Amino acid sequence: MLCKYYGCTDPDAANFDPDANFNDGTCIYQGCTDSNADNYDPQANEDNGSCEYSGCTDPDADNFDEQANVDDDSCLYTGCYDESADNFDLFANTGDQEVLCEYYGCMDAFADNYDAGANAGDQEVLCIYYGCTDEAADNYDAG
């Protein structure tokens, strides 16, 4: 009669027993057992801590993913990314630029230094009006 040696007979298993000649169903396949992970291994029956979850791993980003452990370059930072804006943000990569970006300048079309692209700033300080400001003068300019 043939001797039976119980154990794991699959050489791909973590606990392969080269002396076993009868598979007793105890083979251990290590890998990621979380079906939500990017590298889920349906054959694995023992989690080895290798599960990977792609997403934004920067806690300062708008879309930080607390579960992510592999950065996939999807991080979003709301802000003005127009280098010519006065509030340019080097890290910004999303957001309504017409609302977020500020361009300081005079917005009064009657001012001598009117800037059609301006949308922010203290107008009393920024706007310049040339002309005579002496009310007693014949060429007084109230503007």
Side-chain angles (χ1 to χ4, degrees), residues 60-83:
D60 294 329
D62 299 339
N63 61 331
F64 170 62
D65 183 349
E66 201 169 291
Q67 186 180 14
N69 61 6
V70 175
D71 197 278
D72 63 0
D73 294 324
S74 68
C75 294
L76 298 174
Y77 306 91
T78 300
C80 178
Y81 50 83
D82 180 352
E83 292 182 18

Side-chain angles (χ1 to χ4, degrees), residues 112-134:
D112 291 303
N113 64 334
Y114 170 67
D115 181 352
N119 67 0
D122 184 346
Q123 297 304 290
E124 289 185 24
V125 173
L126 293 171
C127 294
I128 297 172
Y129 303 92
Y130 294 113
C132 179
T133 57
D134 183 349

